[in-house]
Amino acid sequence: ICFALLCHRTKLILILECQATKTCRKYVDLATNTDNANVKVLIDPKQFSRNEANGIIIIDKLQPRDFHILFVPRRSLLCEQRLKEKGVLNSFTNIDEYILDLIPYDGDLLSMESESSFRECYLENDQTSLYHAAKGLMTLQALYGTIPQIFGKGECARHVANMMLRMKREFAGSQTQILPVFDTLLLLDRNVDLLTPLATQLTYEGLIDEIFGITNGYVKLPPEKFAQKKQGEGGKELPTEPKKLQLNSAEELYAEIRDKNFNAVGAALSKKAKIISAAFEERHNAKTVGEIKQFVSQLPHMQAARSSLANHTSIAELIKDITTSEDFFDSLTVEQEFMTGVDTDKVSTYIEDCIAQKDPLIKILRLVCMQSVCNNGLKQKVLDYYKKEILQTYGYKHILTLKNLERVGLLKPQSTMRNNYPTIRKTLKLWMEDANEQNPNDISYVYSGYAPLSVRLTQVLARPGWRSIEEVLKMLPGPHFEERQQVPTGLHKKRQPGENRTILVFFLGGVTYAEIAALRFLSNMEDSGTEYIIAATKLINGTSWIKSLMDSPEENLP
Amino acid sequence: MTWLWHSQKADEYLREIKEQSLLSEAVRQCVEAAGHEHEPETQKTLLRVSHTVYSFSLQAASFGKCFLSNFPPEQFVSMCRDLRVLNAVRDYTVGIPLSLTQFKQMTIQVLIDRLVYRKLYPLAIEVCCYLKTPEYQGVSRVLKHWACYKVQQKEESDEVIAKAVSVKLADAAGISYSEIATKAYESGRTELAIKLLEFEPRSGEQVPLLLKMKKSPLALSKAIESGDTDLVYTVVMYLKNELNRGDFFMMLRNQPVALSLYKQFCKHQEQDTLKDLFNQDDDHEELGNFYVKASYKEQRLEARIAHLQSAVDEYYKAKKEFSAKTTEDEMRLLRFQRKLEEEKGEQLVGFSLHDTMTTLLSVGLHKHVEQLYKDFRVPDKRFWWLRLKALAEKEDWEELEKFSKSKKSPIGYLPFVEVCIKHHNKYEARKYVSKVTLEQKVKAHLAVGDVEGAAEAAIERRNESEIGTVLSRCAATTDHLLVERLNRAKATVAKK
């Protein structure tokens, strides 16, 4: 992640967490272009040590300035050690840390924005991000009270829970006397539900992310649709810079439509358009000075609403161009066939054709992985055929990527075990025929039929409880567990009748926007009695997720 | 003192003071006087006086005559507390003759310190408890000092001391066992230090001391237990410098978590060590992957092929047939590409098989393409797609038609139609519509813009959804008749 510059009084704080080389380049730019003697560089220790040589030389050259290091997300002994070895540790006036575990993204959403968390945990056996997750949860508990109940499913979840309980012992004695805000914490491993991120998200926000990619709450869009058409300025050139928009619930209209199935967005937009133009019509009714004054006072709000409506209408048009295309329809059809268990054991003609036409590799990988997951592994012959096709078409270097996918279980040869996916699907009702996209009554609307497994597990936990699905839980990878944390007497929450329970759901390895939408849907359901707050190591979609697992060495041939 | 003898004069005196509005001053002075008095009996008397005056005034107040409006009781209470503490330390067994002023000057913290220095631990704890000093600054601190002293007692055995310490300190919050352990270590009792460290809940504190004591295996497992990977790295780096390579690797081998972290480190810093690690574990697959990765870093083709050959060998050792065969294919392709580059001057090295074939087709080297097709056993379907796209790209429509007739197409003829349309050649596209299978006819007709043909096909197939698709493509005004026909057909189909 790369945050913007934050002006903090007179001191400039540059928060960067990208490759050290890049950090240093920006750092140099900044140090040479501005008169600020106090420039702080925030570096991710891990990235830093990877490219430390570059980093340090540049820093050294700028000796006359005042230097500070702020480690993000946490001070690293390893990095300090290496700085010492290089003999530059003393050239820093200050060495400190900027603890950045969970970043609030929205009223109900926290993310660690740890890009490679899934890869590190499941591929490289490096659980650093889980340690940070546990630390983040401790901070959260220090602020919002001890969470009395912890549920979890998966190896990583177990690890995080263990660390939390351990840290609690470490902090014994310095306990805060705060009434618990959260009743329950649910830790979920991403590898418990590998299927969901592979499917194409069909909510408005999900599709924006799938098609354009949302980074740090912003989306960059092709500018053509946003050209301002002003009167008297015909023939003005189209802007070439991509249009950058911030997306969060502070925007009233966006909060309203973000979690809707895309097919219901059009109706919502046109309803909104009618309301807004009716509001503007009001001015004809304003007769007295008082009425006019009141109308004028509402103008800024109305104008903001109008421009927000214009933006989202444009975005919706852009998305519609894609969702109505034959390619999109065909690939969605195949996805849905896989999810319903149609022909998952044979080579899919559609995938074959896509490879033959050299469609984007990630699209292929998503589909093949999905087929493998829905079939609990592919027959060796089928798997080898796909692999050969991919390697011949996209290059042999992708053999490493394929091996990675196999290691994390996204691709696998069928074992002697029976395919248990149909059982899981039926028990958890993962496929709902006739999902109602306009007025949903079940979470399956977010994928137009498929109910995300992760969210189903969450839903069942709230009611009637996991004991009812013991069999299925055993089929999913990793242990499931329940822990209780002692809450100081007197701080036990006395719930009023009708008051909601609050569950914090933490996705270890990433969460998709559609899953978030599904959880929000559950929160808003009239009789749910549960409110969900979502936390994750990273906001992901199938593409960014698969990309994080890819290993394609750069060709070095002249 | 008159009231002590229950004299009525007492009341008179009081009234006198009251009249001068000096009641509160009198109370204050009494309390203060008690504070400076060393004799407990006198202290008591003075305090009692002040108390009586105070209650007298309260009584008076209850009759509506407020003598003493705002005298705060805190002074009295805290003076009693302070005096208790002072009397305790003035006792001859303790022997700290502190005056109140001195006590106020030096604060409770310092008093506790002094008690600790005199090893008067029980009294210090009593004082802390009595004064309700926060546990962290009070009882826990005293206990820590006690434990630090205890561990230096040479005559007692490690077990006895460790047990005694743990029992005493069990309920105290915020105890730093590592400090106590450090003391033990400094007085030469390493074993005791290790035992004490067991009680330390914060691994961050345990690990550095364990390293100092050269208990590295224990330090490593403690670091891993904590889940703090930075701590693990610290130990690993320390061990790397301390131990010889063999021992270092052996130790990592027993700690998979540390090993995988070290591997990550090596991946970015020390490639050669990584190779050694894989070798030690006989992890032939990883070695294979390692060579594959290395091959891409090479500039020269020979070096690259040599790396790939090593990879192949490793993959065979790991019994990864598929990977080995694939890598062999890769080598074959590279050699082929280079040969052709030399012969024909086409830039090919680094292209995938698919791209190589496409390039060769575009320059008309059909024979070589055929050779690749056979050598690499390219599936027919993909080969047809490849040729179809390449020919369309060249807009060699004649050749395309010949190709379409060469054999029965394994991919059907719809792709022919679609590819032609993609290249804006409706005329050519029409040629293939008739060859398309029945299932795809509607799509083919629609692709070339022949709505009527599509309608015919859909009605013939009695397929409701296809009829629907065609309907959606009909313009209501121009195709009036067609729409009617389709609707009728749809109704019939629906009935059945």
Side-chain angles (χ1 to χ4, degrees):
Chain A
I1 40 169
C2 180
F3 287 86
L5 282 169
L6 300 173
C7 278
H8 180 65
R9 291 198 189 140
T10 52
K11 276 182 200 156
L12 258 184
I13 303 178
L14 172 64
I15 306 181
L16 285 171
E17 200 194 343
C18 41
Q19 297 271 311
T21 43
K22 237 195 251 166
T23 312
C24 290
R25 208 168 301 137
K26 288 216 171 172
Y27 173 68
V28 171
D29 286 347
L30 202 78
T32 47
N33 291 339
T34 61
D35 293 328
N36 276 287
N38 270 313
V39 180
K40 294 192 180 185
V41 192
L42 283 98
I43 7 182
D44 179 6
K46 208 149 148 211
Q47 303 284 356
F48 183 65
S49 59
R50 278 179 194 177
N51 291 294
E52 86 210 294
N54 286 333
I56 289 163
I57 293 167
I58 298 174
I59 292 170
D60 227 3
K61 275 183 198 158
L62 292 161
Q63 203 103 43
R65 302 251 179 191
D66 217 1
F67 293 110
H68 310 273
I69 297 185
L70 283 185
F71 289 108
V72 181
R74 193 156 271 108
R75 194 167 183 151
S76 151
L77 292 168
L78 176 70
C79 189
E80 273 177 54
Q81 182 64 33
R82 298 200 67 85
L83 284 170
K84 209 179 193 171
E85 281 168 24
K86 299 273 170 188
V88 291
L89 192 66
N90 292 332
S91 45
F92 294 99
T93 329
N94 271 314
I95 297 175
D96 214 331
E97 58 184 358
Y98 183 76
I99 298 177
L100 195 66
D101 296 313
L102 287 163
I103 307 161
Y105 252 67
D106 220 316
D108 57 353
L109 179 60
L110 299 157
S111 168
M112 290 169 55
E113 286 306 286
S114 169
E115 216 96 15
S116 47
S117 165
F118 183 84
R119 183 191 170 101
E120 285 166 9
C121 292
Y122 298 99
L123 196 62
E124 296 168 344
N125 203 8
D126 171 359
Q127 294 170 325
T128 308
S129 61
L130 298 182
Y131 178 73
H132 293 318
K135 279 278 187 187
L137 282 166
M138 293 314 284
T139 314
L140 208 65
Q141 289 189 87
L143 293 169
Y144 298 106
T146 306
I147 305 173
Q149 223 178 4
I150 304 175
F151 286 93
K153 171 75 191 164
E155 296 288 347
C156 293
R158 183 68 263 186
H159 187 60
V160 170
N162 286 346
M163 279 191 285
M164 281 174 69
L165 297 174
R166 200 191 147 82
M167 287 172 189
K168 187 151 189 264
R169 260 182 289 136
E170 293 189 14
F171 293 130
S174 55
Q175 242 173 24
T176 40
Q177 299 287 313
I178 295 171
L179 200 70
V181 171
F182 302 107
D183 299 277
T184 306
L185 166 67
L186 170 60
L187 295 160
L188 277 180
D189 271 33
R190 185 70 272 173
N191 86 333
V192 170
D193 173 15
L194 292 170
L195 175 56
T196 304
L198 293 171
T200 306
Q201 309 172 66
L202 295 175
T203 57
Y204 181 52
E205 190 169 36
L207 274 168
I208 296 179
D209 190 38
E210 294 277 347
I211 297 169
F212 306 107
I214 301 175
T215 28
N216 302 332
Y218 282 91
V219 66
K220 280 186 183 163
L221 298 159
E224 296 80 25
K225 292 250 180 187
F226 296 92
Q228 291 283 331
K229 283 186 203 107
K230 279 183 192 148
Q231 285 180 331
E233 277 185 72
K236 219 184 148 199
E237 270 181 57
L238 286 174
T240 46
E241 281 282 299
K243 169 98 175 167
K244 204 172 169 191
L245 277 180
Q246 192 176 14
L247 299 174
N248 60 43
S249 58
E251 191 182 344
E252 195 186 314
L253 174 63
Y254 188 60
E256 220 171 280
I257 58 172
R258 69 197 298 186
D259 299 323
K260 284 192 189 302
N261 185 293
F262 184 66
N263 284 336
V265 167
L269 284 175
S270 73
K271 201 174 113 198
K272 192 78 182 180
K274 275 183 202 131
I275 293 171
I276 291 176
S277 56
F280 273 101
E281 285 309 308
E282 287 282 303
R283 71 175 183 275
H284 299 303
N285 302 334
K287 293 280 190 292
T288 68
V289 178
E291 280 168 357
I292 292 170
K293 194 179 168 198
Q294 204 200 338
F295 177 80
V296 171
S297 71
Q298 283 171 353
L299 261 182
H301 176 73
M302 283 161 61
Q303 271 158 349
R306 190 159 62 176
S307 92
S308 147
L309 178 69
N311 280 339
H312 288 292
T313 313
S314 301
I315 299 174
E317 275 172 27
L318 284 168
I319 293 175
K320 193 151 195 207
D321 288 346
I322 288 163
T323 54
T324 49
S325 72
E326 207 162 304
D327 276 352
F328 186 88
F329 178 79
D330 288 347
S331 124
L332 197 64
T333 311
V334 171
E335 277 184 20
Q336 300 200 334
E337 278 174 9
F338 287 159
M339 288 191 284
T340 44
V342 178
D343 288 340
T344 45
D345 53 347
K346 313 195 233 293
V347 172
S348 145
T349 333
Y350 178 73
I351 297 180
E352 246 181 338
D353 286 351
C354 287
I355 296 175
Q357 297 180 64
K358 215 178 169 197
D359 279 357
L361 174 60
I362 291 187
K363 173 185 172 183
I364 309 293
L365 294 176
R366 267 176 88 159
L367 284 170
V368 175
C369 289
M370 189 173 204
Q371 185 178 353
S372 169
V373 173
C374 290
N375 201 47
N376 195 20
L378 296 168
K379 278 187 203 136
Q380 191 69 50
K381 235 174 80 188
V382 176
L383 182 62
D384 285 352
Y385 177 78
Y386 277 137
K387 276 159 64 178
K388 190 177 151 197
E389 286 289 278
I390 290 169
L391 293 172
Q392 288 197 351
T393 308
Y394 299 91
Y396 289 109
K397 61 179 174 184
H398 295 292
I399 192 170
L400 298 171
T401 299
L402 293 175
K403 279 172 186 283
N404 288 350
L405 294 175
E406 282 184 64
R407 188 167 298 175
V408 299
L410 275 166
L411 274 183
K412 61 180 178 187
Q414 211 166 35
S415 58
T416 43
M417 279 208 317
R418 218 166 53 88
N419 175 13
N420 54 22
Y421 176 71
T423 320
I424 298 171
R425 189 182 66 227
K426 274 171 212 142
T427 319
L428 293 179
K429 296 196 186 71
L430 296 186
W431 186 261
M432 303 295 275
E433 285 299 336
D434 314 315
N436 189 339
E437 295 167 348
Q438 304 292 332
N439 295 303
N441 48 13
D442 181 73
I443 55 169
S444 56
Y445 85 93
V446 297
Y447 288 98
S448 294
Y450 166 70
L453 195 158
S454 56
V455 183
R456 262 298 188 251
L457 286 181
T458 315
Q459 192 181 9
V460 173
L461 177 70
R463 207 163 53 193
W466 274 359
R467 213 159 295 162
S468 62
I469 51 162
E470 200 74 26
E471 286 301 311
V472 167
L473 282 174
K474 275 186 200 141
M475 289 178 194
L476 298 168
H480 57 281
F481 59 88
E482 180 186 351
E483 296 283 351
R484 283 179 187 275
Q485 296 199 97
Q486 207 65 45
V487 177
T489 37
L491 290 181
H492 288 286
K493 202 165 166 184
K494 287 175 205 83
R495 200 171 309 121
Q496 308 297 324
E499 195 189 338
N500 280 345
R501 274 197 304 164
T502 307
I503 299 186
L504 174 66
V505 190
F506 202 128
F507 290 83
L508 301 163
V511 67
T512 65
Y513 286 100
E515 286 172 303
I516 296 170
L519 285 170
R520 284 189 185 137
F521 170 79
L522 289 181
S523 292
N524 294 333
M525 237 161 55
E526 260 171 51
D527 55 344
S528 81
T530 315
E531 196 180 326
Y532 295 94
I533 305 290
I534 305 129
T537 50
K538 171 86 186 135
L539 299 171
I540 57 165
N541 61 43
T543 304
S544 65
W545 189 42
I546 295 285
K547 217 183 226 163
S548 78
L549 292 169
M550 285 176 76
D551 239 339
S552 326
E554 296 281 314
E555 301 258 355
N556 219 353
L557 284 166
Chain B
M1 301 292 141
T2 335
W3 58 259
L4 278 180
W5 297 283
H6 301 281
S7 152
Q8 72 267 37
K9 271 193 180 167
D11 197 52
E12 274 171 38
Y13 288 144
L14 268 179
R15 286 191 185 281
E16 207 172 302
I17 300 170
K18 178 199 81 185
E19 267 147 35
Q20 293 168 30
S21 325
L22 287 172
L23 254 187
S24 73
E25 181 60 17
V27 172
R28 202 186 55 78
Q29 278 182 9
C30 274
V31 172
E32 215 176 285
H36 291 289
E37 188 58 58
H38 274 244
E39 189 52 50
E41 277 313 309
T42 326
Q43 290 167 359
K44 273 185 205 160
T45 313
L46 282 165
L47 286 171
R48 212 169 293 145
V49 170
S50 78
H51 187 248
T52 315
V53 175
Y54 183 58
S55 12
F56 172 82
S57 70
L58 283 184
Q59 239 169 42
S62 69
F63 288 115
K65 294 171 195 166
C66 187
F67 296 132
L68 197 58
S69 44
N70 306 318
F71 189 79
E74 285 82 17
Q75 192 205 3
F76 180 80
V77 175
S78 74
M79 185 58 78
C80 290
R81 228 173 24 210
D82 288 351
L83 277 177
R84 269 236 162 130
V85 174
L86 280 174
N87 289 341
V89 299
R90 283 168 187 163
D91 190 90
Y92 73 98
T93 51
V94 181
I96 306 179
L98 271 183
S99 74
L100 180 71
T101 326
Q102 283 171 324
F103 174 62
K104 288 278 176 216
Q105 279 292 319
M106 73 184 207
T107 72
I108 297 161
Q109 292 297 323
V110 180
L111 178 67
I112 292 170
D113 279 344
R114 288 204 185 170
L115 292 175
V116 164
Y117 280 129
R118 290 176 189 219
K119 305 195 174 53
L120 295 164
Y121 304 110
L123 180 61
I125 289 175
E126 286 288 313
V127 169
C128 291
C129 291
Y130 183 65
L131 293 179
K132 295 202 178 71
T133 324
E135 206 170 350
Y136 183 71
Q137 296 163 356
V139 176
S140 294
R141 198 160 59 99
V142 177
L143 280 173
K144 189 195 78 191
H145 281 289
W146 166 77
C148 284
Y149 169 67
K150 183 85 180 165
V151 296
Q152 296 174 54
Q153 288 176 345
K154 298 255 188 292
E155 61 278 7
E156 286 190 67
S157 76
D158 291 346
E159 280 76 23
V160 173
I161 295 182
K163 186 129 194 266
V165 169
S166 77
V167 167
K168 271 258 160 40
L169 274 56
D171 300 327
I175 290 276
S176 165
Y177 282 91
S178 60
E179 253 178 84
I180 304 165
T182 311
K183 260 276 156 3
Y185 172 64
E186 279 165 5
S187 39
R189 305 186 69 161
T190 313
E191 283 311 308
L192 176 59
I194 294 169
K195 282 206 172 66
L196 289 169
L197 272 182
E198 281 297 318
F199 301 117
E200 173 64 64
R202 289 164 299 174
S203 326
E205 303 286 317
Q206 290 175 320
V207 172
L209 182 63
L210 284 171
L211 283 182
K212 211 159 108 192
M213 299 192 298
K214 308 245 179 277
K215 297 288 163 190
S216 25
L218 195 57
L220 188 57
S221 53
K222 287 287 171 203
I224 291 167
E225 238 172 67
S226 78
D228 182 351
T229 45
D230 188 46
L231 206 54
V232 180
Y233 267 129
T234 312
V235 181
V236 169
M237 289 302 136
Y238 174 86
L239 293 177
K240 191 178 156 221
N241 293 332
E242 286 293 301
L243 303 176
N244 68 42
R245 213 173 158 87
D247 292 347
F248 176 55
F249 281 9
M250 265 326 274
M251 191 176 284
L252 287 184
R253 219 174 161 176
N254 299 326
Q255 295 286 7
V257 175
L259 182 61
S260 43
L261 283 177
Y262 184 60
K263 278 181 186 161
Q264 284 312 304
F265 172 80
C266 290
K267 216 178 255 177
H268 301 291
Q269 307 273 347
E270 296 171 19
Q271 290 280 329
D272 289 338
T273 317
L274 192 62
K275 201 166 90 184
D276 295 344
L277 280 169
F278 292 145
N279 257 323
Q280 182 196 275
D281 295 347
D282 289 326
D283 191 341
H284 295 293
E285 185 172 14
E286 277 298 345
L287 273 170
N289 297 345
F290 177 82
Y291 285 120
V292 168
K293 246 178 243 175
S295 80
Y296 283 94
K297 293 206 181 95
E298 290 296 342
Q299 297 262 341
R300 290 177 316 114
L301 201 65
E302 289 75 28
R304 189 160 166 180
I305 287 175
H307 273 307
L308 289 175
Q309 184 57 54
S310 315
V312 170
D313 297 344
E314 296 297 341
Y315 283 143
Y316 273 124
K317 275 188 215 156
K319 297 207 168 59
K320 296 284 170 191
E321 292 279 326
F322 181 87
S323 304
K325 286 249 154 50
T326 307
T327 312
E328 279 173 342
D329 280 353
E330 183 175 5
M331 289 160 63
R332 211 139 44 93
L333 179 66
L334 280 171
R335 288 200 184 103
F336 177 89
Q337 287 171 331
R338 185 178 51 176
K339 197 168 139 244
L340 225 60
E341 266 190 15
E342 281 164 7
E343 283 171 16
K344 311 282 176 188
E346 275 303 318
Q347 166 94 53
L348 289 173
V349 173
F351 281 16
S352 73
L353 178 65
H354 185 94
D355 294 345
T356 310
M357 289 168 85
T358 311
T359 315
L360 293 179
L361 278 176
S362 73
V363 294
L365 292 166
H366 293 276
K367 244 171 74 191
H368 293 95
V369 175
E370 283 288 332
Q371 195 198 331
L372 285 175
Y373 159 69
K374 278 184 198 131
D375 282 1
F376 287 87
R377 280 193 236 126
V378 175
D380 271 349
K381 278 186 178 176
R382 189 150 55 79
F383 191 47
W384 273 70
W385 266 110
L386 197 96
R387 284 200 285 183
L388 167 63
K389 286 187 88 173
L391 287 171
E393 200 64 49
K394 272 169 80 182
E395 310 213 336
D396 192 346
W397 307 115
E398 212 172 302
E399 194 63 36
L400 185 66
E401 198 174 345
K402 250 196 256 165
F403 169 57
S404 77
K405 286 172 183 161
S406 63
K407 238 199 267 173
K408 190 175 175 288
S409 160
I411 53 173
Y413 292 91
L414 184 60
F416 283 77
V417 178
E418 285 175 341
V419 166
C420 290
I421 292 296
K422 225 181 198 167
H423 288 86
H424 311 290
N425 196 332
K426 228 181 226 182
Y427 173 77
E428 287 295 328
R430 287 216 178 90
K431 288 186 184 167
Y432 305 103
V433 172
S434 61
K435 301 182 98 172
V436 170
T437 56
L438 280 176
E439 289 85 43
Q440 297 179 319
K441 264 246 156 85
V442 177
K443 250 186 170 177
H445 279 292
L446 286 178
V448 298
D450 176 9
V451 182
E452 263 174 67
E456 288 293 340
I459 292 167
E460 199 177 311
R461 286 192 8 97
R462 298 166 183 221
N463 183 314
E464 202 178 348
S465 80
E466 280 180 7
I467 295 174
T469 318
V470 181
L471 266 172
S472 70
R473 290 280 294 270
C474 288
T477 44
T478 49
D479 307 316
H480 185 64
L481 286 173
L482 203 60
V483 171
E484 246 175 44
R485 238 186 100 202
L486 281 165
N487 275 330
R488 268 204 308 278
K490 197 173 170 185
T492 357
V493 174
K495 259 183 221 159
K496 288 176 187 172

